[in-house]
Amino acid sequence: MTSSRDAASAAITATVTSSRALLGIVAQSMSGALEELSLVQFRLLVVLDSSGPQRMGDLATALGVHASTLSRTVDRLESGEWITREVSPESRREVIVAVSNKGHGMVAEVTRTRRRAIAAVLQGLDPADREAVRLGMTLFAEAAGEPSAPDMLTLGL
Amino acid sequence: MTSSRDAASAAITATVTSSRALLGIVAQSMSGALEELSLVQFRLLVVLDSSGPQRMGDLATALGVHASTLSRTVDRLESGEWITREVSPESRREVIVAVSNKGHGMVAEVTRTRRRAIAAVLQGLDPADREAVRLGMTLFAEAAGEPSAPDMLTLGL
DNA sequence: TACAACAGTTGCATAAATACAAATGTCTGG
DNA sequence: CCAGACATTTGTATTTATGCAACTGTTGTA
């Protein structure tokens, strides 16, 4: 007979294997961006793109880096016109950073590429299997919950 | 009615969401290693651990970096005793790099942590749902195939 | 209004990753 | 056996990321 432990283990192994494939897709989708930006810079762009305009200090906290480190990274991104940096209308000692159109376009491009790559994989399945993937992925995502921001930052995502 | 395009799109979205969760787990599993090693160094360790001992030149090619760059990175890993570096028994001009016990242990530890984290997530599902995840993940992994090495390297995996 | 708290930048300093060029040592074919 | 090819390392230089300390300017408050 097959024990429930074997069944659980099979699910784990399948998930690990699948995570490798998914990781490959994610990495590949980022390769274009990483020709123009460092991983750290791209990470900043993603955070800013998803959270909206931020004060320097808050952004430094969100990224877990020193304010001076952020200031330099923002220098570089600004000179590449990926982001904008403006004195806050609220307080002249605060500086608000926001993604530029160019910056948003890059993030969107990566997202689009990722989605397209996943779509291409699913294309290779018949509808019933595709539905099985949808179900499995949905169940897993629900059980896992949202990844924490600090976790994602480890890999610069 | 629900078109087949909607169904496909739902599968894509579910997979994208799931990939985020998986990425979080992967990143978290690496966080311990990244306190002691840089991403580049860890990447080298993983490649070496999975492909076995390599000549410097081949390793540089596999990692897509200049030989001199590799030489320096190997210096650092060697001084931390993560790897060994020995003159090849075949030819005295060749140098063979291999993971040390310590290095292998680190990679294994990350792998173990990852597996455990995934197991914990699956633990939260009842057997039927877990089986659905197993099936979905298996189908996806089969359809996606093995990720290419260069792709994985983008993220240092 | 003066002073303390705050936000950000700038002046160091360090470490890592990177590549190119040059040097060193080893092989190999003629 | 020796000249060129080959594998690796070393010298040099650049870029990025990083943090601490000091500085500048702004705000709030006693």
Side-chain angles (χ1 to χ4, degrees):
Chain A
M1 66 160 262
T2 299
S3 77
S4 78
R5 241 195 69 229
D6 288 348
S9 167
I12 297 169
T13 299
T15 305
V16 169
T17 305
S18 196
S19 77
R20 279 191 61 83
L22 247 5
L23 236 23
I25 289 173
V26 167
Q28 188 236 306
S29 71
M30 286 169 60
S31 65
L34 296 184
E35 275 169 31
E36 299 192 59
L37 297 167
S38 72
L39 196 55
V40 169
Q41 288 168 17
F42 182 67
R43 165 211 297 194
L44 192 159
L45 216 51
V46 169
V47 167
L48 209 51
D49 189 66
S50 68
S51 326
Q54 301 264 324
R55 296 189 327 171
M56 291 291 289
D58 293 343
L59 193 49
T61 301
L63 294 168
V65 297
H66 196 273
S68 64
T69 299
L70 179 68
S71 195
R72 263 64 181 255
T73 301
V74 165
D75 286 348
R76 295 174 194 120
L77 284 169
E78 192 187 14
S79 81
E81 298 187 323
W82 301 102
I83 62 180
T84 60
R85 184 197 234 159
E86 282 174 5
V87 171
S88 166
E90 312 251 311
S91 160
R92 277 191 300 173
R93 69 179 159 182
E94 295 176 4
V95 172
I96 306 292
V97 202
V99 288
S100 65
N101 285 341
K102 180 179 174 186
H104 174 73
M106 175 59 90
V107 174
E109 168 67 17
V110 169
T111 302
R112 224 173 9 247
T113 302
R114 188 169 309 178
R115 221 183 141 82
R116 229 179 345 207
I118 287 173
V121 168
L122 296 175
Q123 204 70 37
L125 296 170
D126 63 49
D129 285 352
R130 196 149 56 225
E131 168 56 20
V133 170
R134 188 201 60 73
L135 178 61
M137 292 291 177
T138 301
L139 288 169
F140 183 83
E142 278 172 5
E146 264 297 300
S148 80
D151 281 353
M152 295 304 272
L153 289 178
T154 305
L155 276 183
L157 304 164
Chain B
M1 64 162 261
T2 299
S3 77
S4 77
R5 243 195 69 230
D6 288 347
S9 166
I12 298 169
T13 300
T15 305
V16 168
T17 304
S18 198
S19 77
R20 280 190 61 81
L22 248 5
L23 234 23
I25 289 172
V26 168
Q28 189 236 306
S29 71
M30 287 169 61
S31 66
L34 296 183
E35 275 168 30
E36 300 192 58
L37 297 167
S38 72
L39 195 54
V40 169
Q41 288 168 18
F42 183 68
R43 165 209 298 192
L44 192 159
L45 215 51
V46 169
V47 167
L48 210 51
D49 189 67
S50 68
S51 325
Q54 301 264 325
R55 297 187 330 170
M56 290 293 288
D58 293 343
L59 194 50
T61 302
L63 293 168
V65 298
H66 195 273
S68 64
T69 299
L70 179 68
S71 194
R72 262 64 183 256
T73 300
V74 166
D75 286 346
R76 294 176 195 117
L77 283 169
E78 192 188 14
S79 80
E81 299 186 321
W82 302 102
I83 63 179
T84 60
R85 183 199 233 158
E86 281 173 8
V87 170
S88 167
E90 313 251 311
S91 160
R92 275 191 300 171
R93 67 179 161 182
E94 295 175 4
V95 171
I96 305 292
V97 202
V99 287
S100 65
N101 285 341
K102 180 178 172 185
H104 174 72
M106 174 61 90
V107 174
E109 168 67 19
V110 168
T111 303
R112 225 172 8 248
T113 301
R114 189 171 307 178
R115 219 184 140 83
R116 227 176 346 200
I118 287 172
V121 167
L122 297 175
Q123 205 68 39
L125 295 170
D126 62 52
D129 285 352
R130 196 149 56 224
E131 168 56 21
V133 169
R134 189 201 58 74
L135 177 61
M137 291 291 177
T138 301
L139 288 168
F140 183 84
E142 278 171 6
E146 264 298 298
S148 80
D151 281 354
M152 295 304 273
L153 289 178
T154 306
L155 276 183
L157 304 162

